Amino acid sequence: MNAKIAELLGNAWSLRREGNYDEAMKIVRRAHDSCPENDYDALGRIYHVYMQFKRDHDHLEEAVLLSRQSVSYYRLSKNMNRIAHSVRHLADLEFELGNLKESEVHYKKAIQLYLDNSNTSKGDLANALRQYALLLEKTGKNVESANTWTTVRDLYTAIHLKEGVSEAEEHLDRLNQLL
């Protein structure tokens, strides 16, 4: 991704955090218009930003379509970390929409991609496993969920994320009462 596009997307992301979606969208469109059609990494990021904007406004069905496009571009770029990250976001959207089978498939795929990539951060893996544990819990797979929450707790402990550790322990306490 060239520096100009990266800067534009960074500016758009900052405006999004401020809630200035109109200006942020203008900047993303500028980035998109200036993006070469073979810069798959940049296109993946652009569609990821589009997806996040739709998600922020509860347009989840549209967000799923944009997320799929992001995944497609990242696959063309062969950026394994971005593929995993985008697949996880796709799984999150499907989970929110109640498409639990599709969500499970995508969480498993994202987790495997993270595990296969030696450059994966423990935080990224923990976040994917956290969401997967929530899905397992929601679908009544309590033993598997407890095992996953244990891994999540250990990963969050390793990166010193106290809130994540606390959340995992709360879920483990509740699940252990059911088992």
Side-chain angles (χ1 to χ4, degrees):
M1 177 177 343
N2 76 40
K4 178 186 174 193
I5 292 172
E7 181 182 349
L8 287 170
L9 293 176
N11 291 340
W13 205 249
S14 294
L15 288 167
R16 171 194 167 256
R17 275 190 232 117
E18 296 169 8
N20 191 345
Y21 284 94
D22 292 336
E23 285 303 310
M25 185 57 81
K26 287 177 188 175
I27 292 173
V28 176
R29 286 190 182 118
R30 274 187 33 218
H32 195 176
D33 290 343
S34 66
C35 187
E37 62 185 52
N38 65 346
D39 189 344
Y40 304 126
D41 203 46
L43 288 166
R45 183 71 182 148
I46 288 166
Y47 277 88
H48 182 84
V49 174
Y50 285 147
M51 174 278 298
Q52 191 62 56
F53 287 6
K54 290 296 182 183
R55 185 180 192 179
D56 290 349
H57 291 92
D58 294 322
H59 300 290
L60 299 181
E61 295 286 347
E62 292 174 68
V64 165
L65 297 175
L66 293 164
S67 184
R68 287 183 182 145
Q69 189 65 47
S70 177
V71 170
S72 293
Y73 280 122
Y74 281 135
R75 283 190 177 126
L76 290 170
S77 78
K78 298 180 173 60
N79 184 331
M80 299 312 289
N81 188 53
R82 289 293 185 182
I83 295 167
H85 186 76
S86 286
V87 170
R88 181 183 66 90
H89 277 278
L90 179 57
D92 292 344
L93 288 165
E94 290 169 335
F95 181 80
E96 288 180 62
L97 286 166
N99 301 332
L100 302 183
K101 287 182 183 181
E102 293 90 348
S103 181
E104 183 171 7
V105 167
H106 285 102
Y107 281 130
K108 286 179 177 179
K109 185 176 288 189
I111 291 163
Q112 192 59 56
L113 287 167
Y114 280 136
L115 290 171
D116 290 345
N117 184 352
S118 61
N119 295 319
T120 296
S121 75
K122 289 180 181 175
D124 284 344
L125 178 59
N127 291 338
L129 287 167
R130 175 194 174 273
Q131 289 298 120
Y132 183 56
L134 289 170
L135 176 115
L136 292 169
E137 203 170 327
K138 184 172 183 130
T139 57
K141 298 176 183 174
N142 294 337
V143 171
E144 195 174 347
S145 181
N147 292 337
T148 305
W149 277 115
T150 299
T151 303
V152 169
R153 181 196 60 206
D154 294 347
L155 287 166
Y156 282 144
T157 298
I159 62 171
H160 310 289
L161 187 63
K162 292 179 185 176
E163 298 86 1
V165 173
S166 296
E167 179 190 29
E169 288 176 348
E170 288 172 16
H171 282 273
L172 284 167
D173 288 344
R174 188 168 49 254
L175 287 165
N176 285 331
Q177 291 175 7
L178 298 173
L179 299 176

